[in-house]
């Protein structure tokens, strides 16, 4: 460890990230990147691809920790390795370069990472579908919903911006727009094949 850089146990690392300690997250980035770089570069990848994979893996870990849903049954290192390994296998398969075997230099344990990764992928898919539905919704519904839900504008602001006679009319229109958005989303969601 370099001077001035704290060393964390796995428990301290998870607690630090849970409480928003940026140093804990920075430490995590430095700590296990070499392991993932080795995994990726030894299996048809580049250092840049390794950094991308590691970034995605750390985000899965980070989101689970922040949400309080991480059930760690192994070391953080093993969990991240499992997530990154799965991400790299998927990337290789997408590129048509996966031959069915990775040269592992770490034991691959059942860590729960597979389920966490699948959950994160499904959430990303839903966000993409919702974004697409929002784009198809059209105006003024899109800007009304974005203003209320994404930009935290109140009904008085939205009434003035959209020219409604009062806040109740704006609220009623927001509700109608939300119903239309849900219909668009669920129609698309049912049509999308599962990965």
């Amino acid at each position: 460890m370099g001077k001035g850089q704290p060393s964390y146990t796995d428990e301290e690392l998870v607690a630090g990230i849970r409480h928003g300690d940026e140093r804990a997250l920075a430490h995590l980035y430095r700590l296990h990147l070499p392991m993932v770089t080795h995994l990726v570069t030894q299996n048809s990848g580049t250092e840049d691809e390794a950094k991308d994979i590691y970034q995605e893996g750390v985000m899965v870990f980070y989101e689970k920790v922040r949400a309080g849903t991480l059930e760690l049954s192994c070391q953080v290192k093993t969990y991240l390795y499992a997530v990154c390994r799965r991400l790299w296998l998927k990337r290789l398969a997408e590129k048509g370069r996966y031959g069915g075997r990775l040269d592992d230099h770490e034991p691959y344990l059942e860590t729960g990472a597979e389920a966490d990764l699948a959950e994160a992928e499904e959430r990303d898919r839903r966000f993409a579908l919702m974004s697409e539905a929002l784009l198809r919704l059209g105006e003024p519904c899109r800007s009304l919903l974005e203003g209320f839900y994404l930009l935290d504008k109140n009904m008085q602001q939205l009434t003035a911006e959209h020219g409604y006679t009062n806040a109740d009319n704006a609220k009623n229109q927001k509700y109608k727009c939300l119903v239309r958005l849900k219909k668009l989303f669920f129609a698309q969601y049912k049509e999308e094949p599962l990965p």
Side-chain angles (χ1 to χ4, degrees), residues 106-127:
E106 295 282 333
Y108 179 63
L109 305 174
E110 179 52 49
T111 61
E114 295 281 328
D116 291 349
L117 187 57
E119 181 183 306
E121 288 171 347
E122 176 60 17
R123 184 181 57 246
D124 289 347
R125 186 175 83 87
R126 287 184 194 145
F127 280 138

Side-chain angles (χ1 to χ4, degrees), residues 2 13 25 35 46 66 72 90 97 116 121 148 158 162 165 169-170 179 185 194:
L13 195 61
L25 187 58
M35 169 188 69
T46 66
R66 294 291 291 189
L72 206 55
K90 185 176 177 187
R97 293 185 351 213
D116 291 349
E121 288 171 347
F148 187 78
L158 294 170
H162 292 275
T165 53
N169 287 346
V179 168
F185 171 77
L194 288 174

Side-chain angles (χ1 to χ4, degrees), residues 15 23 29 48-49 58 84 88 96 107 116 121 132-133 153 156 165 168-169 173:
R23 292 175 302 170
Y29 268 91
D48 285 341
E49 288 173 318
V58 168
C84 292
W88 185 239
D116 291 349
E121 288 171 347
E132 188 177 313
K153 293 181 179 179
Q156 286 73 26
T165 53
D168 286 336
N169 287 346
Q173 186 60 40

Side-chain angles (χ1 to χ4, degrees), residues 68-83:
T69 57
L70 180 71
E71 294 180 21
L72 206 55
S73 59
C74 59
Q75 293 179 332
V76 170
K77 175 182 181 177
T78 306
Y79 181 89
L80 281 173
Y81 182 84
V83 169

Side-chain angles (χ1 to χ4, degrees), residues 26-63:
H27 178 73
L28 178 66
Y29 268 91
R30 285 188 309 275
L31 191 60
H32 301 303
L33 178 58
M35 169 188 69
V36 174
T37 299
H38 184 74
L39 167 72
V40 171
T41 57
Q42 293 299 304
N43 292 283
S44 306
T46 66
E47 284 191 25
D48 285 341
E49 288 173 318
K51 288 176 185 174
D52 288 346
I53 292 293
Y54 190 59
Q55 173 86 16
E56 289 179 49
V58 168
M59 285 309 300
V60 169
F61 179 76
Y62 175 83
E63 288 173 1

